[in-house]
Amino acid sequence: MTEIQKPVIWTDEFNVPTPEALRSELVPESCEVFDELRKMLNGYSGMEERCRWYGDCWHWTLSYLLDEQAFMEPSEEWEPMALIIPAPEDVQLAMSIDPEFVASINTRRLKRGVREGLELGCKPFTTRWAVWSIPTPGLMTELAGLVKQKVAWLRSH
C-alpha cells in the first residue's frame, strides 16, 4: 500500500499557513534572509502583512501593503508593495514596480544584482514585478534602501 504524501505547507493551496509555518520549511541558510526581510518590511508604520496565494509560480507568499496603497486605486484586489516568496531553498523578494517610481531613482548607483531585478519589472517584460534572490547580506542592504525609497515614493503620491 502506498503512503499518501502530505502537501508541503508552501504549496498547499487549500490551507492558509502562518509565517512561522512557512519559515519551518526553509533550509537553515534561508531562515536568516526570511527573518531579515520580515523585520525590514514590518518595520514601516502602517504596513500590513498577509499570507496570500500566488498560484503555481510563487505559491504562498507574505504580502505587504501600506495603508496609503489602499487609497491609490479602488479595486477589489489590491496589489501589494512587496512579497516575500518563501521558496524553501531560495527565499526571494518581489516588489511591484511602477515606471514612474523607477524613473524617480538613480539606478546607476545600484548594484548590478539590484538593477537586474528592477529590469524584470520594466518593459519589454510583461510583468510589473521586480524579483531578487538574496544570496548575500550585501544585497539585503541594497534592497533595504530600495524598499525605503519605494515606501517614501508611495507616501508622496
Side-chain angles (χ1 to χ4, degrees):
M1 185 168 171
T2 307
E3 185 178 319
I4 298 174
Q5 261 189 319
K6 184 178 176 186
V8 177
I9 294 168
W10 180 54
T11 59
D12 180 4
E13 176 181 3
F14 302 104
N15 293 295
V16 180
T18 63
E20 293 75 21
L22 291 170
R23 186 185 190 281
S24 74
E25 292 190 334
L26 300 176
V27 296
E29 300 81 30
S30 294
C31 289
E32 185 178 348
V33 169
F34 181 81
D35 293 343
E36 287 292 319
L37 286 171
R38 286 191 71 209
K39 181 179 176 184
M40 172 183 58
L41 291 166
N42 283 316
Y44 290 99
S45 173
M47 186 73 78
E48 181 180 339
E49 177 186 76
R50 291 186 193 170
C51 279
R52 186 170 180 197
W53 179 254
Y54 266 87
D56 290 333
C57 178
W58 290 340
H59 307 293
W60 283 107
T61 67
L62 294 181
S63 304
Y64 295 86
L65 177 75
L66 284 171
D67 290 342
E68 291 86 350
Q69 287 179 280
F71 303 105
M72 288 175 70
E73 291 180 23
S75 73
E76 291 181 22
E77 197 64 36
W78 50 265
E79 180 176 83
M81 184 202 86
L83 303 171
I84 297 174
I85 304 160
E89 295 181 14
D90 182 26
V91 172
Q92 299 166 40
L93 174 68
M95 193 161 56
S96 62
I97 297 298
D98 188 295
E100 291 146 16
F101 167 66
V102 175
S104 75
I105 59 176
N106 183 353
T107 57
R108 288 180 293 175
R109 298 187 75 193
L110 298 173
K111 288 186 178 178
R112 182 175 149 208
V114 176
R115 281 193 320 267
E116 288 173 350
L118 274 174
E119 289 169 1
L120 290 174
C122 299
K123 290 184 178 185
F125 299 104
T126 58
T127 179
R128 291 175 31 97
W129 290 98
V131 182
W132 298 272
S133 290
I134 306 168
T136 65
L139 188 58
M140 179 72 80
T141 302
E142 286 277 321
L143 290 173
L146 185 63
V147 168
K148 184 177 180 178
Q149 287 179 301
K150 174 79 185 265
V151 169
W153 184 82
L154 285 170
R155 290 190 165 151
S156 70
H157 284 80

